[in-house]
Amino acid sequence: MNTNITKLSKLFLVAVFGFSLTVQAQLKSEITIGYNKDAPVINKNIYGHFAEHLGRCIYDGFYVGPDSKIPNTNGVRNDIIAALKDLGIPNLRWPGGCFADTYHWKDGIGPKDERPEIVNQWWGGVTEDNSFGTHDFLDLCETLGTEPYLAANVGSGTIEEFTDWVQYVNHSGKSPMSDLRKKNNRDKPWGVKYWGIGNEMWGCGGNMTAEYYVNIYKRYVTFMADWSNSGDLFRIASGANAGDYHWTEVMMRDIPKHMLEGVALHSYSVIDWSNKGSATKFSEEQYFSSMKAALFMDELVRKHSEVMDKYDPEKKTALIVDEWGGWYDVEEGTNPGFLYQQNTMRDAMIAGCTLNIFNNHSDRVRMANLAQTINVLQAVILTKGDKMLLTPTYHVMKLYKVHQDAKMLPVKVSSPEYKFGDKALPAVSVSASQKEGKTHVSLVNIHTSQSVTTQINLDGIDIKNFTAKIISSGKLQDHNTFEKPEAITPKEFKDFKFKKGVLTVTLPPFSVVVLEGN
């Protein structure tokens, strides 16, 4: 082989992919998708989001104030409202996170100029004026058509404070708290269904043991009235940190079934907590580590589900993964406590694989919340002054919203390996669903250099034709910027063939493809 040609080829690969690669033979995978009448419906709440009082998520993110020159509705940016409506977010968690267990909700109601200032001790030590509070958040949820998910202050609050909050937002009759709500210009209650009883009680919520917290949980829930008398309250216990299966065991063993609708789980795709690395300037080794951490979610969900199955074989209690996503070092020159990071094709891979995992485990996973919505961690939206951009993660979630409340189709996957050194991961991730006569298949190829030819056998599923969209780019480190906000957007995808019930798709390196058949 001509040495100069070989050198040029290697230089090309470095330029395109951002790191040196070895050319291999094209990879192949085989997938079988069938129909099972007993398969679960993929709960739309798996596609939930998370908005904490952290950095620029609320202030200078969602909320710019009614006097801002940026077009807004009651202080919330109109472009963000439009983007989140288009994304179809089913639920939104607020006000934290760690912030929840230092937040006192009565500080955030009433005339804005009379609200006390507070210091956000968790995130940057900044002073907040409480101008965005309960009314602002719940009215925003109404505008978005999304379910609010409130995280209660258990760490530094009281049972009375908590039950007053439930009464304030849910009681339609005459009571001290409903009267206070009406005084603050809201006659009709919001009817909040989803309630988290504290957050990360093993850590920032109070550094408790599972055995101690479970009794705290039962006390709070005992005094938590369902003011609508509908029986619709969905009570979520603060759950485990990643692989702490003992925590889940205690929650399921010691909380009576009639007091528990969901158990939470938190897990982030982190390379190394002591050295998380840059969001945009990363090596293939760091990328591989990120994907290994993301794919570990499958093991976490399976093992926590196995613990839950011991006490709840009918799967009535949901596993709620209400914090997930990539976590890197903050962008240079930004406040370390604000957790502001860019969002690249790596994050698109994390989003696609994680959502496939949740879809495939939708018998137990019935809610999840990406951390976080705007300007924090793996955000779907970034803002800068009056500018706004949609990240690759936003575009993945928008393509995947077709799975919301669709019947899950069981998949069997034979995947080639994506190798780095002596380690290997499955290259291909998939999930599928069916709704209103349409079949959707979401595919991810995490390999950095190799396309994967995927043969999909549609076992007894009647489909006449397919269309598809793809999210891909030239380099894993590529991302949208305020100068080029549409560098990465979904495009029409045609590199597939459909013949006699067999769909053959060629997945480019590090790409997400969603196919629609009818």
Side-chain angles (χ1 to χ4, degrees):
M1 181 180 289
N2 187 300
T3 304
N4 290 331
I5 293 176
T6 303
K7 289 180 179 179
L8 286 172
S9 298
K10 289 182 178 179
L11 287 172
F12 172 76
L13 290 169
V14 172
V16 171
F17 296 108
F19 29 68
S20 181
L21 307 168
T22 302
V23 179
Q24 303 172 14
Q26 190 176 58
L27 303 176
K28 295 183 179 181
S29 72
E30 186 170 341
I31 296 170
T32 299
I33 299 176
Y35 180 84
N36 181 348
K37 64 180 179 64
D38 296 323
V41 168
I42 297 171
N43 195 307
K44 67 179 181 180
N45 284 313
I46 284 173
Y47 291 81
H49 292 263
F50 175 30
E52 184 171 5
H53 284 246
L54 196 173
R56 295 193 303 111
C57 184
I58 300 297
Y59 300 110
D60 199 31
F62 277 99
Y63 191 76
V64 291
D67 297 329
S68 174
K69 294 181 180 179
I70 300 172
N72 67 85
T73 300
N74 297 323
V76 178
R77 291 177 62 138
N78 289 342
D79 51 1
I80 285 176
I81 291 173
L84 294 179
K85 279 187 173 181
D86 200 27
L87 189 58
I89 69 170
N91 70 80
L92 185 59
R93 181 175 179 241
W94 177 85
C98 291
F99 181 83
D101 283 292
T102 54
Y103 181 66
H104 300 282
W105 69 271
K106 288 181 181 178
D107 291 344
I109 61 172
K112 292 184 186 290
D113 60 357
E114 297 179 12
R115 298 179 188 179
E117 292 185 339
I118 58 171
V119 176
N120 190 331
Q121 70 182 65
W122 292 108
W123 306 116
V126 295
T127 300
E128 299 186 10
D129 63 4
N130 270 309
S131 56
F132 189 91
T134 294
H135 287 251
D136 306 274
F137 173 70
L138 295 180
D139 289 348
L140 167 63
C141 289
E142 282 190 336
T143 299
L144 294 175
T146 191
E147 290 273 7
Y149 170 15
L150 292 178
N153 181 348
V154 172
S156 68
T158 66
I159 292 174
E160 181 182 14
E161 179 182 18
F162 171 58
T163 55
D164 279 353
W165 202 16
V166 179
Q167 184 184 120
Y168 186 87
V169 301
N170 281 1
H171 189 36
S172 60
K174 182 173 176 56
S175 72
M177 290 301 104
S178 60
D179 288 348
L180 180 59
R181 183 188 69 240
K182 292 171 185 177
K183 180 182 176 182
N184 290 326
N185 302 314
R186 172 76 186 199
D187 184 66
K188 182 182 177 182
W190 290 276
V192 176
K193 176 178 181 178
Y194 296 100
W195 293 86
I197 315 303
N199 168 78
E200 294 189 356
M201 305 312 292
W202 40 263
C204 62
N207 286 296
M208 302 177 188
T209 63
E211 290 78 4
Y212 182 84
Y213 167 67
V214 78
N215 287 309
I216 297 290
Y217 174 91
K218 287 187 286 187
R219 286 185 65 208
Y220 270 71
V221 168
T222 296
F223 295 97
M224 184 181 182
D226 177 15
W227 293 103
S228 67
N229 293 317
S230 63
D232 281 345
L233 288 184
F234 196 102
R235 300 155 298 182
I236 301 167
S238 174
N241 177 21
D244 184 355
Y245 305 110
H246 172 74
W247 189 281
T248 299
E249 179 99 28
V250 174
M251 298 303 107
M252 295 300 297
R253 184 191 68 207
D254 293 351
I255 300 175
K257 290 183 180 180
H258 70 276
M259 301 178 78
L260 181 69
E261 282 72 46
V263 175
L265 170 66
H266 290 180
S267 181
Y268 288 92
S269 302
V270 177
I271 299 170
D272 178 354
W273 282 104
S274 64
N275 182 21
K276 294 185 288 291
S278 168
T280 58
K281 301 171 184 176
F282 55 88
S283 65
E284 183 174 10
E285 181 179 11
Q286 290 172 311
Y287 168 72
F288 187 93
S289 295
S290 294
M291 295 315 304
K292 181 180 179 182
L295 293 174
F296 182 57
M297 181 66 78
D298 185 74
E299 179 178 326
L300 289 174
V301 169
R302 282 190 292 102
K303 289 189 174 182
H304 282 288
S305 296
E306 287 171 5
V307 173
M308 297 175 77
D309 287 347
K310 288 167 51 179
Y311 304 95
D312 176 32
E314 296 177 344
K315 299 183 186 294
K316 291 184 177 180
T317 303
L319 182 60
I320 311 294
V321 190
D322 56 15
E323 289 189 28
W324 67 273
W327 192 325
Y328 318 112
D329 292 337
V330 302
E331 296 301 309
E332 293 181 9
T334 65
N335 189 321
F338 282 11
L339 305 188
Y340 177 78
Q341 64 189 41
Q342 251 296 354
N343 197 287
T344 69
M345 283 299 300
R346 171 172 61 174
D347 297 288
M349 300 297 99
I350 291 172
C353 289
T354 304
L355 292 170
N356 282 341
I357 290 167
F358 293 157
N359 289 346
N360 291 329
H361 290 286
S362 51
D363 59 336
R364 183 63 81 176
V365 179
R366 296 199 283 278
M367 182 185 285
N369 301 81
L370 175 69
Q372 294 185 9
T373 316
I374 305 170
N375 293 329
V376 173
L377 299 177
Q378 192 173 338
V380 293
I381 296 172
L382 301 178
T383 66
K384 181 180 180 181
D386 62 352
K387 296 180 180 179
M388 183 197 80
L389 66 80
L390 308 177
T391 68
T393 297
Y394 176 98
H395 294 302
V396 171
M397 297 197 81
K398 185 177 177 182
L399 288 186
Y400 272 52
K401 74 177 184 179
V402 295
H403 292 301
Q404 293 185 21
D405 284 343
K407 190 172 186 64
M408 188 265 281
L409 297 176
V411 297
K412 293 181 180 179
V413 186
S414 174
S415 173
E417 292 182 329
Y418 161 44
K419 295 181 179 180
F420 183 81
D422 60 353
K423 300 175 182 178
L425 296 170
V428 174
S429 167
V430 61
S431 66
S433 69
Q434 202 169 60
K435 183 172 68 172
E436 298 174 352
K438 295 181 179 180
T439 298
H440 292 99
V441 182
S442 49
L443 296 159
V444 182
N445 174 19
I446 68 170
H447 206 294
T448 56
S449 61
Q450 296 299 298
S451 296
V452 179
T453 299
T454 304
Q455 180 177 295
I456 303 174
N457 302 299
L458 299 160
D459 189 12
I461 299 175
D462 184 23
I463 300 173
K464 293 181 174 61
N465 55 67
F466 276 96
T467 58
K469 289 189 176 181
I470 186 171
I471 297 172
S472 62
S473 194
K475 293 172 64 177
L476 267 166
Q477 295 85 352
D478 287 347
H479 54 278
N480 293 333
T481 66
F482 294 103
E483 293 71 34
K484 295 182 178 180
E486 297 186 355
I488 299 172
T489 56
K491 303 289 193 303
E492 186 178 5
F493 180 70
K494 293 186 176 181
D495 200 358
F496 64 89
K497 296 178 181 179
F498 182 53
K499 186 176 181 181
K500 295 182 178 180
V502 177
L503 180 64
T504 304
V505 185
T506 301
L507 301 171
F510 52 95
S511 64
V512 178
V513 172
V514 175
L515 299 111
E516 178 176 285
N518 53 42

